[in-house]
Amino acid sequence: MSYVVKDLSEINIGLMGLGIVGVGVARRLLSDKSQISSKTGRGLNLARVMVRDINKPRDIQISPDIITAEPEDIISDPSIDIIVEVIGGIDPAKSLIVKALTQGKHVVTANKEVVAKYGPELHRVAMDNHVNLLYEASVCGAIPVLSVLTNPLLSNTFRNVRGIINGTSNYILTDMAYNNAHFDIALKEAQSLGYAESDPTNDVDSFDAVYKLSILASLAFRCRVSPDDVYREGIRELKSQDFQYARELGYAIKCLAVADRKGDAVQARVYPALIPIDNMIAKVDGVYNAVEVSGDLCGQVLLHGLGAGREPTASAVLGDVIQIASQMSKDGLRSQFDYIENTYNVIPIDDLETRYYIRLVVTDTAGVLAQIAKILGSKGISIASVLQKDTFPEEQKAELVITTHPAYEASVQKALSEVNELDVVSDISNIIRIEG
Ligand SMILES: NC(=O)c1ccc[n+]([C@@H]2O[C@H](COP(=O)([O-])OP(=O)(O)OC[C@H]3O[C@@H](n4cnc5c(N)ncnc54)[C@H](OP(=O)(O)O)[C@@H]3O)[C@@H](O)[C@H]2O)c1
């Protein structure tokens, strides 16, 4: 593979998007030129900036000469070498990335949705046009997890990748755990601090984490894991007593993203999970993210840091820009984030084998536990521990919290639908998987 190498003293950057991340990228490009050029050997010049509304007030001063609302001003400008896409979403981001790559521009994006859904297609266009497509910022902000998977740890065969990869939901869960906050209150606080958007669906219903896990698992396992292959649950159903009971049992509750490889099959899932309190992942609080990878040579490696926000995300975007810039004069530049198109079998969630936490409201009378245990036992599920809480004495009802030994998801779901039919069971309030 070879490139037409332009003898430029400066590398021209076209920035698409000047929102949270775009401003962070632009600020560093404008304020720290000499530091960056000392690292790349060539200066980086912010040549053009595209926004939706050129009249919108901004918290950065950009020369009106370089700002535009017309994508073609960037894509068709032959002097622009690298395009940074920080618009977000699919439309028009995807078509702009394709056009930019087709025009022979290298592209750096922070857009997890577009990479998770269209990674192989975009990568093919990049390959066909001998340009690079990098997207470190799309997963976990400042944490260089994609680079670590694809460079220093590349010799490993990975068995498992898991982590806390959405800072907003982790902030909410931390507030619920430490301050006994209700979900709605914790969400409002996250919104008032700017950690959650006014429509929080992407974060609290785990779509954002699904996109990121699909990218992580694809790179770790060298196969295509589509967002559709990832089982998803959000955090809305968690109640303050779940945190209290989890703590009594020695666990924290985190929204965990997990991908396991078993032979030629992959299982990927994002859901709230109980994690032993002494596990490092259980200690990741607030807006922090952590990703743990398990490889055959490296063992367990844990990366921890800020997973979102203006500066941390700009740090990852600019790392990719500098990487491309410093390789641009070399022949044979190859994307380290090449999106492999092998497909593996997907293991359905029904085949998951793990331990379970089950919280139920039952009539406070003798023999209830025996009836429940009989049904669980008939499906091969054995009880590990039981907590009984005299929660509703006036109604003569109690809460039972049962944890199980490892059991299959399908068996647990079947057993619980039978348990739900028992007269003595008023409600199966929550089922949370326990991850070791
Ligand atoms: N925010 C974070 O902490 C974070 C972290 C990691 C990754 N990311 C990813 O980074 C990307 C950008 O996020 P952000 O938070 O910076 O978004 P944002 O604050 O909403 O900014 C989006 C920018 O794109 C521009 N834009 C939107 N639609 C456009 C269109 N049709 N044509 C031209 N310009 C358009 C907007 O222009 P106007 O300003 O004129 O409206 C705005 O400047 C997303 O893919 C996101 O997932 C964000």
Side-chain angles (χ1 to χ4, degrees):
M1 187 189 303
S2 66
Y3 293 91
V4 179
V5 179
K6 286 181 267 177
D7 184 25
L8 295 171
S9 53
E10 280 201 323
I11 290 168
N12 283 322
I13 313 291
L15 178 63
M16 293 183 159
L18 193 61
I20 295 174
V21 181
V23 167
V25 171
R27 270 196 195 140
R28 180 51 63 108
L29 284 174
L30 294 172
S31 69
D32 222 349
K33 277 190 142 185
S34 59
Q35 206 232 78
I36 291 179
S37 58
S38 73
K39 290 176 181 165
T40 59
R42 301 181 57 188
L44 301 182
N45 176 43
L46 182 61
R48 274 285 189 176
V49 179
M50 187 195 80
V51 292
R52 187 168 28 202
D53 173 4
I54 56 170
N55 298 314
K56 191 166 160 181
R58 311 265 163 199
D59 33 358
I60 183 169
Q61 281 234 303
I62 299 279
S63 159
D65 299 341
I66 67 164
I67 204 153
T68 180
E70 182 47 63
E72 282 303 318
D73 288 346
I74 294 185
I75 288 170
S76 302
D77 180 342
S79 72
I80 288 180
D81 305 281
I82 302 174
I83 290 184
V84 173
E85 183 277 305
V86 281
I87 296 171
I90 298 297
D91 186 28
K94 185 202 164 205
S95 63
L96 293 177
I97 293 173
V98 169
K99 277 190 193 164
L101 295 169
T102 310
Q103 292 284 324
K105 318 281 188 205
H106 302 285
V107 173
V108 171
T109 178
N111 191 331
K112 65 216 82 167
E113 186 175 0
V114 93
V115 175
K117 288 182 177 165
Y118 301 103
E121 179 187 333
L122 297 176
H123 186 251
R124 225 175 299 130
V125 180
M127 294 287 281
D128 289 347
N129 290 281
H130 309 299
V131 284
N132 215 332
L133 169 69
L134 296 186
Y135 43 89
E136 180 66 78
S138 66
V139 180
C140 296
I143 307 175
V145 58
L146 303 188
S147 301
V148 167
L149 282 175
T150 52
N151 280 305
L153 300 186
L154 189 58
S155 62
N156 283 266
T157 299
F158 293 103
R159 296 179 295 271
N160 169 270
V161 45
R162 66 178 199 159
I164 294 170
I165 59 179
N166 182 276
T168 304
S169 58
N170 201 43
Y171 179 87
I172 293 170
L173 296 188
T174 305
D175 200 12
M176 293 176 78
Y178 292 117
N179 304 322
N180 266 340
H182 273 251
F183 172 80
D184 292 342
I185 307 287
L187 170 62
K188 278 208 178 79
E189 189 178 323
Q191 285 169 324
S192 73
L193 291 169
Y195 295 143
E197 293 178 27
S198 52
D199 175 0
T201 307
N202 252 346
D203 293 319
V204 302
D205 294 323
S206 301
F207 291 100
D208 174 90
V210 163
Y211 298 142
K212 291 170 177 170
L213 184 64
S214 121
I215 297 170
L216 273 174
S218 296
L219 289 177
F221 303 146
R222 315 292 293 169
C223 69
R224 166 87 173 124
V225 179
S226 146
D228 297 336
D229 297 332
V230 181
Y231 177 80
R232 177 186 60 80
E233 281 180 18
I235 60 168
R236 291 181 196 264
E237 299 305 319
L238 292 167
K239 300 283 182 282
S240 39
Q241 62 263 47
D242 289 318
F243 291 85
Q244 184 196 324
Y245 302 153
R247 219 174 5 251
E248 284 180 38
L249 292 162
Y251 297 96
I253 300 179
K254 295 288 175 190
C255 189
L256 198 66
V258 191
D260 292 315
R261 183 165 120 180
K262 291 173 184 155
D264 277 351
V266 168
Q267 183 167 66
R269 52 200 192 267
V270 178
Y271 48 44
L274 267 68
I275 303 172
I277 279 171
D278 54 1
N279 189 298
M280 302 277 271
I281 292 215
K283 301 178 203 292
V284 176
D285 285 334
V287 290
Y288 277 84
N289 283 192
V291 179
E292 183 184 83
V293 294
S294 302
D296 57 344
L297 299 178
C298 66
Q300 271 183 358
V301 172
L302 182 75
L303 300 155
H304 176 263
L306 285 169
R310 173 164 285 161
E311 279 80 22
T313 312
S315 160
V317 167
L318 287 165
D320 282 350
V321 170
I322 290 170
Q323 161 106 6
I324 291 173
S326 46
Q327 291 188 342
M328 266 177 62
S329 56
K330 291 182 194 153
D331 206 24
L333 174 66
R334 177 186 159 272
S335 172
Q336 84 256 39
F337 298 171
D338 53 351
Y339 221 101
I340 305 294
E341 293 186 44
N342 306 332
T343 47
Y344 279 9
N345 294 324
V346 175
I347 303 173
I349 193 71
D350 275 355
D351 292 354
L352 174 71
E353 188 183 14
T354 191
R355 299 178 57 211
Y356 290 81
Y357 158 108
I358 303 157
R359 175 164 62 84
L360 321 91
V361 179
V362 299
T363 307
D364 196 0
T365 179
V368 172
L369 184 58
Q371 292 183 58
I372 295 169
K374 191 172 166 207
I375 294 175
L376 294 179
S378 72
K379 303 285 182 287
I381 303 159
S382 93
I383 292 176
S385 72
V386 179
L387 283 180
Q388 179 161 350
K389 298 285 173 181
D390 192 14
T391 316
F392 312 104
E394 64 289 348
E395 296 168 46
Q396 294 183 323
K397 294 210 165 138
E399 267 186 315
L400 275 188
V401 176
I402 295 173
T403 65
T404 73
H405 288 295
Y408 285 104
E409 175 86 18
S411 311
V412 171
Q413 296 296 349
K414 266 191 215 131
L416 290 180
S417 65
E418 284 182 33
V419 167
N420 205 23
E421 297 299 309
L422 292 173
D423 289 344
V424 289
V425 172
S426 311
D427 186 35
I428 298 178
S429 311
N430 216 341
I431 307 162
I432 310 176
R433 286 100 184 162
I434 302 175
E435 296 268 354

